[in-house]
Structures are given as C-alpha cells and as structure tokens.
Amino acid sequence: MNAQTNSRLIRIPGMINAHSHAFHRVLRGRTHERSAASVSHGTDNFWTWREQMYAAASYLSPQAYEQLATAVFAEMVTCGWTAVGEFHYVHRGLNEPGGTGLSDPLAMEEAIIRAAYAAGIRMTLLDTCYLQGGLSATGKAIPLNEVQTRFSDGTADSWLRRRSQLRERVYQLNAELAPSGGAPLVTLGAAVHSVRAVPRKELERIGAELEPGAVLHAHVSEQPAENEACLAAYGMTPVELLSSAGLLSPTFSAVHATHLTEHDIELLGASQSIVVMCPTTEADLADGIGPARELADAGAVIALGTDQHASIDPYLEMRGLEYGERLATGQRGRFQPAELMEAAVAGGAKSLGMPSYGLNPVTGDYVLVDTESIRTFGSRDDQLPLTATSADVHKVVINDQLVATNGVHATLGSVDELYCAFMTDNPEFQ
C-alpha cells in the first residue's frame, strides 16, 4: 500500500447515466420466479416482467414517488453517477383517464425534480409521450390498459402543451431549489416511449414541433416482437420509421437498439445518433446483445444507462458492454477501457445535452476511485473499467459539492435506510 493517504485514489470525471426509470428499482430481486403470467405464456421474458412493472406503476403517488426516487438517485450518486436521464412517463393520477387525478397536473414531474435536488444529482428530465397501448402482431393499435392511462396525454399536441407548462415549472423549481450561487441541476428533455406507443403521424408532429436542439430519446427495437409489429403496421423497422419521421439526428438517442438490421445500423451511424446501451438490464430481461461495436464503427455514439436498475453500478455497465461483445463474437478487446469510459462520460453527456469535457475531469463533477482495493489492487489505472466496482468509489462531487463518501450520502445518510423508510411508509410496495 502506498504510504501517502491519498496516493491510492485517482480522480475521474463524473459518470453519466443516460437512461433511468426510477420506479423500476422496486422490482430488483422480486421478478425472478415463474409467475402465473409466465406459466400462461409458456416462458418468463420481457413481456411477463412488464406486467409486474405495471403493477408497481399503479401504486405510485407523487409523495411515494418523490421518496422512492430520492433513494434511487442517492444510490446512483454513491455509486459514482453524477448525472441521470430520467425517462419519465407516469404522468397522471391513479386510474383517471379523463383527467390528471391530481390537484396539480405536474405533481409527478415535480416529485422527480425535488428528488434529484435532494440527492444532489444532475438530471435531464426526459418527459415522455405515450399515446397507445402498443401494436398487435398484425400492426393494429392496441388501446391503453388501465395502468397505461396514467402515462398518456391523449395526443402529441396535448403532450407538447403539457411539456411547455413543465418547462416553466422546471425553471421555477431550479430557482427555488438550486443552492445559493450554484448552477441549476435540472434541464428538460423529451422522449417518445417507442414506436409501439406513439403512432407515425404523432411522431411526425413531434419532429416538426419540438424545439431545435432538444434532446429526444426513444426505446428502439428492444424486442423482436416490436420489430415484427412495426413491420406489420408500417412496412419498415422502428429505426426506419423514426428516420422517415425526421427524428434521427445527433440529438436523438435510441435506447437499447438490440435487434437491428444492417440498414438500421447504417441509419443510426449516418445520422450520428446516440445509442444508449443498458447491459445489466438487457441481460436481466433476456433482451439480447445489441450490435454495439458495429454501431460505433458506423458513426453512432455509445452511451450507458441503468434502465430498470437490476444494478446501479457504472462499472458493471461498462464491463457488461464489453463482455456482451466478447460473448457474441468470441473476441476480446472489442471496446478498449478508454472507450468504455468514453461511453460512461462523454457519450452520456451528449445523450443528455450536457456539456462534454471528454475524459478530462476539469468540471465540478468528479469521482475519486480507490486503486488499491481487493478488486483493483495491481490494476493499471487505465484498466479500472474492467476491475473496479461502485464499492471502490471513495468520494463523489457534483456541482462542486461533496455528495457522497464511501457509499454514504453526505446529507441523506445511509441509502438502505432511505429504502427501508420508503417501504415502511408505502406497504403496498412490499
């Protein structure tokens, strides 16, 4: 061990989590048994998992969501993430298709914003358009189910109007919650849930009306069934549909992009779109292994996210990206360690519309990592993406403020106690 106290620590840029659904965290470790749905379907897969996710969404109130998201964001910062893209679609009150069901129609969004400030994490709030329940195998629109009514604004125009109101709310909350003299933590982005949930004409409407330069995210080709339904409905793949609607660009992020054709890869690369890979979630949900190397070689930018939070460890996401490539190809070194860090830092910044400083930790967001733990001892510093874990994150600084030390949040304390308090106060999630 080095004699000097801090000689074992290296400073790296804050890592950026480009895709999160905070409420999915309640499913961790609770979806790995065969359910009645999986028995009836003959298998346990993404679609049976989704039913359990809907059940969790049905219980969310603004108060519960703020408490849960605060714990999730606190876990993120203790693990080394300094910014997050929150892909947010639970907009409305409980089972109220005709209205918000809330005294404040932006209460769910405000809950997420207040949670980000409580945890001290930068956030791009990816307010999500979700208009229909899906596409059938024959390409017919599926109506919203009871839970999905919470996600929908009805039309793209209604979503755009609410998003305009939300922009003003973000401005107000930044003014209220940002520390004195500190930069605001929250910005507003946009998302369309998927081509299953937003019809073509509404995709085109969003493409025409969204403000220039706004970041736009969408789940893309996560499952083969999505591709098949899109082909049946429109005669083209989801990537081709998004391209025809004018949405592919350097500010567009395709999340997952697991099941792509060669033409899809060409389109994403030529448009310099970002592809957000979520390796631990894609493994947990049995989604498959996406063509990350081919996408990067074609010109797409790779970013990383934790999605449904089977893990919130940035190093496991980096390793998952490389290990997936190794398992798919039988070759090592598909992504060099520096490329993995590039995805976790600069790729995420580009995806969320945040300033990117490459891998030079000169901003007010950085992490100190232990290079002499039982996991990292003997590793070269540049190869830590392949050996470290979040347990090696010693300190996390965001906006020039210390937010976590050795897994404990600077103001919120122990994250496990935050989760315990949430479960105690909201027994419906137990």
Side-chain angles (χ1 to χ4, degrees), residues 419-427 430:
Y419 283 124
C420 286
F422 167 76
M423 287 295 190
T424 299
D425 295 343
N426 301 278
Q430 294 180 10

Side-chain angles (χ1 to χ4, degrees), residues 245-295:
L247 298 183
L248 300 190
S249 77
T251 59
F252 175 78
S253 289
V255 181
H256 302 304
T258 307
H259 303 280
L260 302 181
T261 66
E262 289 185 6
H263 189 225
D264 293 339
I265 294 171
E266 291 171 2
L267 288 171
L268 290 167
S271 62
Q272 300 180 356
S273 294
I274 303 102
V275 175
V276 184
M277 299 289 192
C278 306
T280 63
T281 287
E282 288 147 10
D284 183 71
L285 297 181
D287 286 344
I289 299 170
R293 184 70 265 171
E294 289 87 345
L295 284 160

